[in-house]
Amino acid sequence: MYDILIVGAGGGGLYAAMEAIHKNPQAKIAVVSKVYPPRSHTSAAQGGVNAALANKHKDDTIELHTFDTIKGSDYLADQDAAAYLCEMAPKVVRELENLGAPFSRFPDGSIAQRPFGGANRHRCCYCADKTGHTILQTLYEQALRMGVEFYNEYFLLSLEHQDGACNGVVVMSQRNSKVMAIPAKAIIMATGGYAKMYWHKSSNAAGLSGDGQGVALRAGIGLKDMEFVQFHPTGLRKSGLLVSEAARGEGGYLINNKGERFMSNYAPEKMELGPRDLVSRSIEMEIRHGRGFESAAGSFIKLDLTHLGKDLIMARLPQIRELAIDFEGVDPIKEPIPIRPTAHYSMGGIDCDVSTRTEMKGLYAVGECAAPSVHGANRLGGNSLLEILVFGKRAGLELQNDLPTLKPRSMNERVAVERQERRLAQFYQPDHHERLDVLRNEMGKTLGENVGIYREKKNLSKGVEEIAALRERFKKIKVHDNSRVFNTNLQQVLELQNMLDLAACVSQGALAREESRGGHSREDFPKRDDANWHKHTIAKFNAQGEVELSHKPVTMGLYPLEERTY
Ligand SMILES: Cc1cc2nc3c(=O)[nH]c(=O)nc-3n(C[C@H](O)[C@H](O)[C@H](O)COP(=O)(O)OP(=O)(O)OC[C@H]3O[C@@H](n4cnc5c(N)ncnc54)[C@H](O)[C@@H]3O)c2cc1C
């Protein structure tokens, strides 16, 4: 029996582990992860992490950061959570610095800060364009040093609970497909996002299939604001891989086929550094109106960095250059990069509050899989790395008080394991015939076509129906690989189930929300409708596994509703 079990070894899970062990030195703590910790998606974050350190602009403040975050969220963020995020930012960034994260520096030795979308000051701290990688390495080193125990390459199958309190998880070892129960008093879910459900048009690692959210949903827990998926403006044309906002932060331009910096028509003040929802919509509009470039791999817009010069690109954007060369055959020092928007980030997630507690006793949620609602309807670049640090730390802190009150609950391990073994055995039944690759491609296609950047009733209804049909077909899915050693076919089927269950929440939430707000843009309801829709969506499964939607009020208190212009 563990005192604290953390599922997920990205930045959120590792910070939680570090803080938990620090605050509860006697506690038995372990981390479960389906990949080796340094391979978690946090390592792919390029651009940086926001904190009002005021190293560049002396007049930057926590209040300005909070306001930018709330405005960026299109006023759907819970304001207590957003305020906590920004208040803690300088503290966690300095803590990371002290732990050894090699931040880029200004000539005076202070942490360098670059401009980022939707922010009024230069407050994004970075390590060249490898910020997430360096943060994750730093945290992993520290977690190992502090003696955190790891279950690497174990796949979460279920969350076990009784009488409204969780008592452990069931996992599968990827090495030998053995299913086992891990009882624990407290569980911190930190399994990352779900934007990979858009499959071909996503910047996410293949494993960002929303496993923690899927498992929580099936355990009866509500998911918040799932319809809000962020499309990042600059994915590489062919692969959808990300070109970080840092490229525009350093001065990159977006150009249409007339050679115009078209952002002047959409965000005259902020230009390319408008918030992501706005810039992505602007790019789609240019393409729709025939002002994009055409190619066999689809229409695109150009991101021009050539005027920045070789020295700056090599010093601050080296990884972006490598990606552009490897995946598009384009060297950004010499020519513009072909880009178009790509599904990037999950604003929605496991419903929790600013303390990271969920509705289930003993269950906490942090990072991209959670929705304490700091991002509301649209996240600002640089605020997600911040979220995983701030709320990873918060979960560890909360457990200092909560752990003594959490009773060890017995768990019927045999029953729990057998239930999951029966579930896995289903995939091998002789009458099963549906193929993983077919269902997964169709899921990505219908989401991209019907639940994308621009949405309207007809398409959304089609998306809802097609996802329902895919979920039905999933009941007959076949795992063709019978081996027990690193059976990636089996693992990907399990991931597909999570993505399909969450896709039902995303599409139904999007169809229900008859307004435009942040990343959710309805062509049939182009205005924000505060009278009817200034509220969170909560999606739950009923006993038949169908999505039921309800609502929750938004916590206000700092900044009143205002029109959002840039
Ligand atoms: C390309 C890219 C660039 C980005 N750049 C930035 C940026 O510059 N600034 C910024 O603020 N944000 C950025 N983001 C967003 C940010 O990086 C992520 O939101 C954040 O790192 C998520 O961290 P996490 O700890 O929640 O999850 P992750 O880092 O995604 O880790 C998830 C963990 O959960 C584990 N897991 C998942 N499912 C299971 C399962 N079934 N069983 C066991 N373990 C499981 C995985 O093994 C992994 O360890 C970027 C995202 C991407 C994709």
Side-chain angles (χ1 to χ4, degrees):
M1 159 89 57
Y2 284 96
D3 292 306
I4 303 172
L5 187 73
I6 298 151
V7 189
L14 292 181
Y15 216 116
M18 219 172 61
E19 194 66 21
I21 210 163
H22 185 57
K23 290 285 183 269
N24 307 275
Q26 307 305 327
K28 202 162 147 38
I29 299 174
V31 176
V32 174
S33 176
K34 68 179 175 182
V35 299
Y36 265 84
R39 297 179 56 121
S40 304
H41 190 74
T42 297
S43 68
Q46 301 163 346
V49 49
N50 295 335
L53 299 178
N55 289 349
K56 172 79 181 180
H57 296 288
K58 300 299 168 212
D59 63 346
D60 196 14
T61 61
I62 287 167
E63 288 71 29
L64 280 175
H65 185 187
T66 309
F67 176 69
D68 285 344
T69 300
I70 291 171
K71 180 179 173 189
S73 82
D74 221 345
Y75 294 87
L76 196 69
D78 281 335
Q79 299 195 356
D80 57 341
Y84 182 74
L85 176 85
C86 302
E87 183 196 325
M88 290 297 288
K91 197 172 159 68
V92 289
V93 166
R94 290 207 180 93
E95 228 172 85
L96 261 184
E97 182 188 23
N98 291 337
L99 292 173
F103 282 105
S104 297
R105 309 239 159 218
F106 284 138
D108 69 358
S110 61
I111 293 179
Q113 297 193 281
R114 57 166 54 123
F116 241 49
N120 262 313
R121 300 286 185 279
H122 294 196
R123 70 168 74 94
C124 190
C125 312
Y126 58 93
C127 315
D129 59 357
K130 299 178 180 167
T131 313
H133 175 79
T134 53
I135 288 180
L136 194 62
Q137 295 290 338
T138 305
L139 292 176
Y140 187 44
E141 273 168 27
Q142 293 297 327
L144 288 175
R145 184 180 68 83
M146 293 168 119
V148 175
E149 202 178 319
F150 283 91
Y151 287 84
N152 292 329
E153 298 181 326
Y154 280 81
F155 190 96
L156 172 72
L157 293 174
S158 73
L159 175 67
E160 299 299 318
H161 55 98
Q162 209 190 338
D163 305 328
C166 64
N167 49 13
V169 295
V170 176
V171 297
M172 178 183 73
S173 158
Q174 287 152 246
R175 258 164 260 187
N176 53 22
S177 298
K178 195 169 174 299
V179 176
M180 64 187 234
I182 310 182
K185 285 192 214 166
I187 292 167
I188 303 176
M189 207 57 94
T191 53
Y194 55 83
K196 193 62 191 176
M197 66 168 68
Y198 287 76
W199 200 245
H200 297 296
K201 287 190 179 152
S202 171
S203 70
N204 283 191
L208 285 185
S209 45
D211 298 350
Q213 299 90 318
V215 159
L217 183 67
R218 292 192 292 275
I221 293 168
L223 304 183
K224 192 196 277 163
D225 293 336
M226 293 294 284
E227 61 270 34
F228 294 101
V229 176
Q230 176 166 82
F231 287 81
H232 193 291
T234 58
L236 290 178
R237 161 189 52 181
K238 294 180 190 159
S239 58
L241 288 177
L242 193 75
V243 179
S244 164
E245 199 163 297
R248 283 169 287 136
E250 295 294 347
Y253 303 150
L254 293 170
I255 306 284
N256 65 16
N257 69 11
K258 302 202 162 4
E260 296 161 346
R261 278 183 74 186
F262 57 85
M263 281 310 298
S264 59
N265 300 324
Y266 302 92
E269 267 183 45
K270 292 259 174 230
M271 294 293 285
E272 282 85 357
L273 287 176
R276 290 179 178 173
D277 53 341
L278 178 61
V279 181
S280 288
R281 283 196 293 274
S282 311
I283 294 174
E284 281 300 298
M285 268 304 156
E286 290 299 298
I287 290 176
R288 276 190 186 189
H289 288 107
R291 295 191 289 271
F293 300 85
E294 298 304 326
S295 74
S299 317
F300 63 95
I301 285 291
K302 288 185 179 173
L303 172 62
D304 192 355
L305 309 184
T306 52
H307 55 286
L308 301 180
K310 184 175 176 187
D311 291 348
L312 187 145
I313 291 176
M314 295 306 286
R316 299 203 200 145
L317 307 169
Q319 190 182 181
I320 287 169
R321 176 169 181 254
E322 270 172 42
L323 288 172
I325 292 174
D326 292 349
F327 291 90
E328 287 286 348
V330 163
D331 183 348
I333 294 175
K334 300 186 191 132
E335 51 181 324
I337 313 172
I339 58 93
R340 72 168 300 163
T342 184
H344 179 59
Y345 184 80
S346 335
M347 265 79 75
I350 299 171
D351 181 25
C352 65
D353 64 13
V354 61
S355 75
T356 74
R357 292 188 185 86
T358 69
E359 65 187 86
M360 184 178 277
K361 196 170 166 61
L363 181 71
Y364 303 72
V366 305
E368 196 172 336
C369 80
S373 204
V374 288
H375 312 302
N378 173 63
R379 167 176 81 87
L380 294 188
N383 266 358
S384 174
L385 284 179
L386 179 60
E387 178 191 4
I388 65 180
L389 304 174
V390 167
F391 289 96
K393 187 178 172 73
R394 179 75 185 250
L397 271 175
E398 293 294 344
L399 275 159
Q400 188 176 16
N401 299 323
D402 290 3
L403 203 52
T405 70
L406 294 170
K407 303 272 168 298
R409 295 169 156 267
S410 66
M411 166 186 182
N412 193 331
E413 295 185 34
R414 193 173 54 81
V415 169
V417 165
E418 283 176 2
R419 197 183 304 125
Q420 291 307 316
E421 284 175 342
R422 276 197 302 279
R423 172 181 169 212
L424 302 187
Q426 278 295 316
F427 303 138
Y428 297 91
Q429 292 301 316
D431 65 326
H432 279 222
H433 53 86
E434 292 286 358
R435 288 184 62 98
L436 163 72
D437 54 332
V438 174
L439 297 194
R440 198 167 57 187
N441 283 339
E442 287 186 25
M443 170 186 68
K445 188 163 176 288
T446 189
L447 287 172
E449 286 174 2
N450 301 308
V451 199
I453 295 179
Y454 281 105
R455 305 166 168 189
E456 50 85 32
K457 188 170 184 175
K458 200 162 145 245
N459 282 2
L460 286 169
S461 307
K462 189 162 174 245
V464 167
E465 275 168 32
E466 291 184 356
I467 292 296
L470 289 170
R471 289 184 70 217
E472 205 43 46
R473 285 170 65 189
F474 182 87
K475 292 180 181 161
K476 289 282 175 208
I477 199 160
K478 176 109 184 147
V479 173
H480 292 272
D481 183 350
N482 287 313
S483 96
R484 295 190 64 84
V485 179
F486 285 103
N487 188 338
T488 49
N489 187 190
L490 173 60
Q491 183 181 324
Q492 289 173 12
V493 162
L494 291 163
E495 290 173 341
L496 177 64
Q497 182 172 18
N498 292 323
M499 288 191 278
L500 283 172
D501 284 353
L502 300 187
C505 301
V506 172
S507 54
Q508 291 185 40
L511 176 62
R513 187 175 280 274
E514 296 188 331
E515 66 156 355
S516 290
R517 185 185 296 272
H520 172 69
S521 184
R522 290 276 304 244
E523 290 185 278
D524 42 355
F525 296 96
K527 289 223 156 45
R528 199 175 80 190
D529 177 359
D530 290 327
N532 294 304
W533 285 102
H534 185 237
K535 56 190 178 188
H536 298 298
T537 306
I538 303 292
K540 280 197 175 192
F541 264 181
N542 64 18
Q544 287 72 44
E546 291 154 0
V547 177
E548 285 184 354
L549 302 176
S550 59
H551 298 100
K552 248 187 168 175
V554 177
T555 307
M556 300 292 282
L558 291 174
Y559 299 100
L561 287 162
E562 258 180 41
E563 198 192 343
R564 182 168 166 252
T565 50
Y566 287 94

